[in-house]
Structure formats: C-alpha cells, structure tokens
Amino acid sequence: MELIKPGTNFDFVGIRYYAVIVSTILNLAVVLFLIARGGPNYGVDFSGGTVMQVKFKTPPSVSDVRGALASAEFGDVTIQDFGAAGEFLIRLPMTGEETAKAAVQITDSLSSKFGQGQVEVLRVESVGPRVGSDLRRKAILAVCFSTMMMASYIWLRFQWRFGVGAAVALVHDVLITLGALVVMHYEIDLTIVAALLTVVGYSVHDTVIVSDRIRENMRKSRRESMAQIINSSINETLSRTILTSGTALLVTLALYFLGGSVINGFAFALVIGFITGTYSSIFIASPIVLAFERAPAGRGKR
C-alpha cells in the first residue's frame, strides 16, 4: 500500500529552520517549567508512601471521600478515581508500621461515613522513601543509557553525524513527552518509565528507516546536494512512515480511550511519544545530518 505517489517532493528541508526553532522553544519551555516546579509529580514508586485502592458498593464523589477522611488528619492525602465506578486510589504520605494503622483508620472513617459493608479495601501498597529514591535514580539512568546506546548504534551503523542527530532527536522526544505528562498532571512512575523507553525505541526505529534511505541515496546520487538527497529520502519513506505511525497511533489511542485509568498515563505517553518521534526523525535528526555536511569535513568517507 502506497499513500504517497512516486515523485512527490514535499520541501521538508526548506522548512527545517522553523521546525528547529519551534522544537528548541518547546524543549527550553519544558526544562524551565520542570525547574520552576521542582521536577515532575512522582508516583509512590519514586517518592515513597502508601497507596490504598478502595471500592464502594454505591459510588460516592471524590469530595465525599475526601470529606470522610478529613477528620482523620492523615496529612497530605490524595484521592483520585481509579478503574471502574466506585473505585478510588488514596495516597498517604506514610510507610512502615504506620501503614497498617492508617489502613484501619481509613476503613473505619469510610465505613462510619458511608455505612458498614459499603467499603472494600482491594489493595494496600507501601514504598519506603529510600527505595523510592533508588528506583527513581535507576529509572533516570535507564532512560539516559538507552538513549546513549541507541545513538551509539546509529553512529556505528551509519556515520557519527547520524548518531548525533539521533541522540538529539531522542532527547527531544523524551523531553516533549515528559512535558506533556506533567502538563496533564500525570504522575511519573515505573509504568511511565516503561512508556518512555518504548518511545526511545520507536523513535530510533523511525530514524533508522530515514537514515538508511539517505545513505542509500548518497551512494546513488553523488551529483545531488545533500539537501536534495535528504529531502528525496524523506519523501520516499513518507508513505511507510505514515502507515507505521498511523497504525501505532490507532492502537495507543484505543488503549487511551478504552484501556481504563490503570494504563491511561502509559497510553498517553505513547501517543505523544509516537507523534513526536515521527516528527523528530524528519525535522530534527535529518537537519542535524545536513548541518554537519556543511562542515569542512564534507561528505562522510564511510
């Protein structure tokens, strides 16, 4: 199936400066936004604390649940809808021995408010602050190392400038996805880290396709300028890019709208990551390859 007719020549390279300016502004905005607010919202996995999942026979509102727990004075308690109607997540800033006592207090407070037998505790999970900090450090290292390894792979398979372009594109994709998650008030937990690693893999896969065609056309069209080669290579792979990205987006959109709140953040990260990954392969990685072509070293010798 071919969506783009052979011979089509959209001028992607001609608008690269606008794309780079917009992307730079967005990335700087994300960095400044994260610095200003002291980082993203970490989930219990990374910040430590306790999560209780409770289920009501008759679904109350969040404000009713919050009101029922107000007298217990647990401190900074977060309550959110979770899964099916009547299910809520209650996050408490405590761990260890306090957890069991707090779980009993919460159950008693909710039962006295909504009636005996109306509340069921489905699960209680607790992560200590030291474990959460260790998991957060390892998650950041996982994303950084995966980005470096992917860039190194592109470097070794093609040329060093392709590796630089891929690395910048991957950082761009992770930052944009992270910024979108923070703006939409999603918490960063292990599930989101898995989504970010998936985005890194998808983005580099799309970059490999475009880079492979650029390298192939460099060998066949030695008289054409690098800008023409890159532009024709992007146009030649555009049909495949649209089909691949489109089918991946359909699946992730289905997960986002139909998968429930359990994987809502994961699906949202994939949707944003797949869109920005496709964009960066065309407007970030390729222009960087072209920028180094104009360096005194000229065309690569590999």
Side-chain angles (χ1 to χ4, degrees):
M1 184 176 180
E2 197 167 43
L3 296 178
I4 307 299
K5 294 181 180 178
T8 300
N9 188 30
F10 296 114
D11 188 13
F12 294 105
V13 173
I15 60 173
R16 66 186 184 281
Y17 292 118
Y18 301 106
V20 169
I21 290 172
V22 171
S23 297
T24 303
I25 292 173
L26 286 175
N27 278 270
L28 287 176
V30 170
V31 172
L32 293 175
F33 181 60
L34 290 174
I35 292 175
R37 71 191 310 278
N41 293 325
Y42 291 111
V44 172
D45 295 343
F46 297 146
S47 62
T50 299
V51 172
M52 287 185 64
Q53 182 179 350
V54 297
K55 182 179 181 180
F56 293 84
K57 288 185 177 178
T58 304
S61 65
V62 173
S63 59
D64 289 339
V65 178
R66 184 173 290 110
L69 299 179
S71 60
E73 297 181 352
F74 290 114
D76 187 16
V77 179
T78 304
I79 302 167
Q80 67 179 93
D81 292 319
F82 185 80
E87 291 188 21
F88 295 87
L89 275 185
I90 302 172
R91 299 178 186 276
L92 305 167
M94 58 185 64
T95 58
E97 297 178 354
E98 298 175 322
T99 301
K101 183 179 177 182
V104 174
Q105 283 183 282
I106 287 177
T107 305
D108 292 342
S109 299
L110 295 177
S111 296
S112 63
K113 171 72 175 180
F114 301 102
Q116 291 292 333
Q118 289 292 315
V119 185
E120 178 185 3
V121 178
L122 300 180
R123 65 184 170 104
V124 179
E125 295 180 357
S126 180
V127 177
R130 182 173 297 178
V131 175
S133 176
D134 189 47
L135 285 174
R136 186 169 66 235
R137 182 180 61 81
K138 289 180 178 177
I140 293 172
L141 288 176
V143 175
C144 291
F145 278 126
S146 64
T147 302
M148 292 170 58
M149 292 303 294
M150 291 295 182
S152 301
Y153 168 72
I154 298 290
W155 184 331
L156 294 173
R157 179 170 173 180
F158 298 98
Q159 297 174 8
W160 64 268
R161 52 182 170 169
F162 287 85
V164 174
V168 175
L170 291 177
V171 172
H172 165 275
D173 298 341
V174 171
L175 270 179
I176 295 296
T177 306
L178 185 61
L181 288 165
V182 173
V183 169
M184 295 300 291
H185 304 292
Y186 284 106
E187 292 184 339
I188 308 301
D189 54 19
L190 289 174
T191 306
I192 296 298
V193 172
L196 291 177
L197 293 174
T198 306
V199 168
V200 170
Y202 177 84
S203 179
V204 80
H205 171 74
D206 209 43
T207 302
V208 165
I209 299 300
V210 177
S211 299
D212 200 38
R213 185 59 60 92
I214 292 174
R215 182 176 62 175
E216 182 182 335
N217 286 338
M218 284 171 64
R219 293 169 179 166
K220 293 192 302 184
S221 310
R222 295 184 178 276
R223 293 185 178 180
E224 292 185 1
S225 68
M226 192 62 184
Q228 291 174 315
I229 291 174
I230 289 178
N231 204 60
S232 60
S233 300
I234 294 173
N235 277 282
E236 289 170 9
T237 56
L238 191 58
S239 181
R240 181 202 169 282
T241 299
I242 293 174
L243 286 172
T244 305
S245 303
T247 50
L249 274 176
L250 286 176
V251 174
T252 50
L253 284 172
L255 281 176
Y256 179 72
F257 288 110
L258 305 175
S261 57
V262 178
I263 58 172
N264 198 252
F266 178 82
F268 179 79
L270 291 185
V271 169
I272 300 300
F274 287 174
I275 292 174
T276 191
T278 304
Y279 164 86
S280 67
S281 299
I282 298 173
F283 293 108
I284 301 296
S286 299
I288 288 176
V289 174
L290 180 59
F292 282 111
E293 173 67 13
R294 292 177 176 175
R299 287 262 189 103
K301 295 180 180 180
R302 294 185 58 173

